[in-house]
Amino acid sequence: MKTLLATALPLIALFASPALAAPQRGDMMIRHVSVIDVEHGRANADQAVVLRGADIVAVGPDRAISKAWRTPSAIEGKGRFLIPALWDMHVHFGGGPDLIEENKALLPLYVAHGITTIRDCSGDLPDSVLTWRHDIASGSLFGPRLLTSGAKIEGIAPVWKGTIEVGSRADVDAAITRLQQRDHVDFVKITDSTLKPDLFLYAVAQAKAHGLRSSGHIPMALTVGQAVDAGISSIEHLDYAYKAGVKDEAAIAADFAAGRIDRAEANRRLDAGFDTDTAMAAYRHFAAKGVFVTPTLNGSRILAYLDRDSHATDPYLAYIGPKLRKTYDWRIQRAAGADPAATAARHDHFERMAAILPLLQKAGVAIIAGTDAGFLNSFNYPGIGLHDELSLFVKEGLTPTQALSAATRAGPAWFGQLDRYGSVEAGKAADLVLLDRNPLQDINATRAIATVVMRGKSYDRAALDAMLADTKARVADWKKAP
């Protein structure tokens, strides 16, 4: 009897061993792919990635994963590179109620370009955007995951429409309560058209006190450091970061606040006063406070050089509705009306702004990729604009890895969501982009998209092209309409 048991036990152990366990089940496997580890700037070759529902459930060497898992469908990734999906952290929707459908038609353009999350930084259609956010999350509207500020906080009778107007601290308190409790916004946007400087700082501080992240346009009468110390979470547009590097920023802000100089003179003094040591001290303070910067560099470049490129023959205009395109006219006419000296100053201003990008990186500031695409911002196109932004990041001194991180990890980090997004790992969201080339070697490889996976569903090149074709057809129909 002992002999029989001794013989049987190894057989029982053999059949019970994990190596012979039944394969686990997933929905899809991406095989033989090089997985890009953006955080460490390396490509891990010959990997397999298993998806189940909206989750990544396994990542590892292809031979081991393919033995341990079974899926009804597979994507061959040999010779290709898999990255976390892209985020555009500064977009806009607006132009008035007549443009709602043209704005909504922009949503698939983001997905077609590998962007599965966007951060709406407020326009004049906040209620529509809040509805889209819900409909996308529920699956009744196709588009990228939408994170929004809802209506921006502004002063009384501001230039910008679609705002919550505040003229007192009580108004600010009511605005924060509405945004948080009624609209359930993802963050707060605060701008400076007519908002009093003291209320700007109060609104930033109150947002922070209520656990809300904030971004915005900082009043000229304040220093950038004051906004940082009040608790602002991200600085939108490189101009403000440049302003923080001006040695006499505080004196310029005080003179403007007292009415001793106008905005034109304040800008002239700011343009002439940049100091690298001052800037690096300010940027190290940003980093210490956890303040991110969204440069929106490509939008600034387009506007700076409208005298050299009218964009009249841009192929991408075929995806922009006629009423949306009409909103471009305001900035186009402003640029066209500038004299040669003003035009040259515009060029110079952009080049000096762009030059601070590597300083921010060196100081340890988290740089966010965002485009400012949408209405008003002429020829700054949803989707492709993010790839143009990344190309500019590298042109101005970032490495491809740093640029890629700005579009895949900085957004999740800002929202406190790196546990779910920003890498290709088990337990993370199944939001991925399969590329034909290695983006760590050439950032323009982010444009070479073979497949997009969003919320666990894959869209191959044909499906992505169909999204573009559908938007183009809708725009063509709108152009024909009387």
Side-chain angles (χ1 to χ4, degrees):
M1 187 67 175
K2 282 186 176 180
T3 304
L4 286 172
L5 282 174
T7 304
L9 284 173
L11 291 173
I12 292 168
L14 178 64
F15 284 113
S17 68
L20 294 182
Q24 299 182 72
R25 297 289 176 177
D27 296 329
M28 183 191 310
M29 189 183 304
I30 305 171
R31 297 200 57 189
H32 303 115
V33 72
S34 290
V35 171
I36 299 297
D37 176 352
V38 181
E39 182 180 8
H40 301 103
R42 62 193 179 205
N44 298 318
D46 199 26
Q47 301 287 290
V49 179
V50 182
L51 313 179
R52 186 165 56 207
D55 302 314
I56 301 170
V57 293
V59 180
D62 185 87
R63 185 173 180 181
I65 295 293
S66 63
K67 284 183 177 180
W69 290 83
R70 292 291 179 268
T71 61
S73 63
I75 297 171
E76 179 53 60
K78 189 173 184 179
R80 288 179 167 148
F81 302 84
L82 192 67
I83 63 170
L86 304 170
W87 291 40
D88 188 335
M89 283 283 285
H90 195 121
V91 310
H92 294 288
F93 298 98
D98 290 345
L99 277 71
I100 288 174
E101 290 305 311
E102 289 191 13
N103 276 273
K104 192 189 292 187
L106 302 175
L107 293 170
L109 299 179
Y110 289 104
V111 181
H113 289 88
I115 300 161
T116 62
T117 299
I118 57 176
R119 181 181 67 154
D120 164 60
C121 290
S122 192
D124 58 10
L125 299 173
D127 291 337
S128 293
V129 175
L130 287 166
T131 298
W132 299 344
R133 180 184 64 173
H134 172 271
D135 292 346
I136 290 168
S138 69
S140 61
L141 176 64
F142 181 81
R145 190 171 69 116
L146 204 168
L147 305 172
T148 182
S149 65
K152 67 181 77 64
I153 294 176
E154 251 291 1
I156 304 300
V159 169
W160 307 114
K161 298 178 181 178
T163 66
I164 303 174
E165 298 183 14
V166 301
S168 66
R169 289 193 169 199
D171 289 346
V172 171
D173 293 341
I176 296 289
T177 297
R178 169 190 150 176
L179 291 169
Q180 185 169 46
Q181 297 184 13
R182 191 198 82 174
D183 297 339
H184 305 289
V185 298
D186 301 290
F187 71 106
V188 174
K189 178 78 177 285
I190 309 165
T191 52
D192 66 333
S193 169
T194 60
L195 184 62
K196 296 175 183 176
D198 62 313
L199 289 181
F200 179 92
L201 295 176
Y202 181 73
V204 168
Q206 285 302 104
K208 183 176 181 180
H210 284 78
L212 290 166
R213 294 167 182 81
S214 63
S215 74
H217 296 177
I218 301 165
M220 181 68 83
L222 297 173
T223 66
V224 175
Q226 287 176 286
V228 169
D229 289 338
I232 200 164
S233 309
S234 67
I235 294 171
E236 308 302 311
H237 316 302
L238 215 51
D239 300 67
Y240 295 106
Y242 180 92
K243 182 175 182 285
V246 172
K247 196 168 187 177
D248 296 327
E249 182 198 13
I252 295 166
D255 285 347
F256 181 82
R260 290 187 289 269
I261 58 174
D262 61 13
R263 187 170 295 272
E265 175 61 14
N267 282 326
R268 187 198 66 76
R269 287 171 61 181
L270 288 171
D271 281 348
F274 187 83
D275 174 73
T276 301
D277 290 340
T278 300
M280 288 303 293
Y283 302 159
R284 284 190 289 267
H285 186 54
F286 289 6
K289 288 284 190 176
V291 176
F292 291 42
V293 173
T294 315
T296 64
L297 203 55
N298 188 52
S300 298
R301 178 193 63 82
I302 291 167
L303 296 177
Y305 290 100
L306 278 175
D307 58 303
R308 296 184 185 177
D309 187 353
S310 71
H311 297 272
T313 60
D314 283 1
Y316 214 83
L317 285 170
Y319 305 110
I320 306 300
K323 293 177 183 177
L324 267 176
R325 184 175 178 181
K326 188 68 177 172
T327 69
Y328 291 179
D329 289 351
W330 176 56
R331 295 195 189 278
I332 294 169
Q333 290 163 5
R334 286 178 65 191
D339 61 27
T343 300
R346 197 170 68 222
H347 297 172
D348 182 62
H349 178 78
F350 170 76
E351 298 301 336
R352 281 185 286 103
M353 297 297 120
I356 73 168
L357 192 65
L359 299 183
L360 290 164
Q361 183 73 43
K362 182 179 179 181
V365 177
I367 296 170
I368 304 174
T371 58
D372 213 9
F375 77 115
L376 288 179
N377 295 327
S378 313
F379 313 111
N380 195 354
Y381 302 121
I384 195 66
L386 187 69
H387 300 276
D388 293 338
E389 185 80 7
L390 298 184
S391 296
L392 271 176
F393 281 4
V394 173
K395 178 179 179 291
E396 297 301 335
L398 299 193
T399 67
T401 298
Q402 290 165 347
L404 189 61
S405 183
T408 58
R409 293 184 58 80
W414 193 76
F415 277 109
Q417 296 177 0
L418 274 175
D419 61 330
R420 181 67 178 159
Y421 299 93
S423 58
V424 184
E425 297 179 86
K428 298 295 180 73
D431 285 3
L432 305 163
V433 182
L434 185 63
L435 303 173
D436 290 332
R437 305 197 313 274
N438 187 349
L440 301 181
Q441 296 176 354
D442 177 8
I443 195 60
N444 289 308
T446 60
R447 304 168 190 263
I449 298 172
T451 299
V452 172
V453 179
M454 183 171 69
R455 297 186 284 277
K457 185 173 181 180
S458 67
Y459 303 90
D460 63 12
R461 187 65 257 170
L464 301 175
D465 288 340
M467 293 176 200
L468 296 171
D470 179 66
T471 300
K472 184 183 288 189
R474 295 182 69 186
V475 169
D477 287 342
W478 285 327
K479 288 178 179 177
K480 293 175 187 175

